[in-house]
Amino acid sequence: MHIDVWIESVPPTVVYLLVGLIIGVESLGIPLPGEIALVTAAVMAATTGSVNPWTVALCAIVGAIVGDSIGYSIGRKGGKPLFEKLGRKFPKHFGPDHLDSAERSFQKWGMWAVFFGRFIALLRIFAGPLAGALRMPYWKFLIANVLGGVCWAGGTTLLVYQVGKVAEQWLKSFSWIGLIVAALGGALSAWIMKRRAAKHRAEHPEAAGGRTEEPVAAREG
């Protein structure tokens, strides 16, 4: 079962817990579909009303911040050898190319790599552990972590929720508009067909069962 289907099938309280847990586990360095979980919950809030968007956003923010902080601690203790070990076990996510790319981003952007990494799938997994492994000062990491978590989790939830509400209203309006257009189209088609049929009968009365009158000379002959 896909994660989005799974989230849609559980009670609202469990949805909040799953969103926070999945995003938290992803943030500490384990590749999970955190963004899919967040978007699914936000769409549910917009279309079904079964979950509260503010609670979804809060759980996602807490999961992101706590998960990244745990990841930072793990990376600080394990260092780069931890990533080398993970690269051998999970080359798809922690291969040398992925690690080099993430490390270059950190060296170039510093704490901003943690902030913007929240919006990029690859860096979202690496941000916490790699910041710890590279010995980034924790206060810098924490500022970027909190700001990134709030902007990404809160912003994504708000954006998806608002788009979902607008789309839902548009679809409802479209259903009525479509019904009216279909009715008018049907009436117009019937009127055109009726006019064409009347014109055809006028031009060809024999086709409607009428009979043209024979000339008098022909009858007398």
Side-chain angles (χ1 to χ4, degrees), residues 71-77 79 83 106 126-136 141:
Y72 177 91
S73 300
I74 294 173
R76 194 169 183 87
K77 291 180 180 179
F83 287 96
F106 268 76
F126 276 112
L130 192 56
L134 295 176
R135 295 295 192 269
M136 177 182 290
F141 169 79

Side-chain angles (χ1 to χ4, degrees), residues 42-53:
V43 170
M44 287 177 62
T47 57
T48 68
S50 58
V51 294
N52 185 288

Side-chain angles (χ1 to χ4, degrees), residues 24-203:
V25 172
E26 179 192 40
S27 300
L28 65 84
I30 298 177
L32 286 180
E35 196 164 40
I36 294 177
L38 180 58
V39 169
T40 300
V43 170
M44 287 177 62
T47 57
T48 68
S50 58
V51 294
N52 185 288
W54 297 106
T55 307
V56 171
L58 179 61
C59 291
I61 291 171
V62 171
I65 295 173
V66 172
D68 250 8
S69 295
I70 295 174
Y72 177 91
S73 300
I74 294 173
R76 194 169 183 87
K77 291 180 180 179
K80 287 189 177 180
L82 172 64
F83 287 96
E84 294 172 358
K85 184 177 180 180
L86 289 173
R88 290 192 294 269
K89 291 186 176 182
F90 306 102
K92 183 179 179 180
H93 298 285
F94 294 98
D97 292 339
H98 297 88
L99 181 59
D100 290 342
S101 176
E103 190 170 350
R104 283 195 301 271
S105 298
F106 268 76
Q107 290 172 348
K108 183 177 181 179
W109 301 105
M111 63 184 291
W112 289 109
V114 177
F115 176 83
F116 289 112
R118 179 55 61 184
F119 299 86
I120 303 171
L122 174 64
L123 287 179
R124 191 159 53 243
I125 300 172
F126 276 112
L130 192 56
L134 295 176
R135 295 295 192 269
M136 177 182 290
Y138 183 70
W139 68 269
K140 287 187 176 182
F141 169 79
L142 183 61
I143 292 174
N145 180 25
V146 172
L147 292 177
V150 170
C151 292
W152 174 75
T156 299
T157 304
L158 179 62
L159 177 63
V160 173
Y161 177 77
Q162 292 297 332
V163 170
K165 295 298 289 185
V166 171
E168 184 182 28
Q169 292 299 320
W170 183 84
L171 289 173
K172 287 180 179 178
S173 300
F174 180 79
S175 64
W176 284 103
I177 294 171
L179 182 62
I180 294 172
V181 170
L184 292 175
L188 180 62
S189 299
W191 180 76
I192 292 173
M193 297 263 314
K194 188 175 181 179
R195 279 185 59 86
R196 285 182 177 178
K199 184 178 180 181
H200 181 76
R201 285 196 301 269
E203 294 176 351

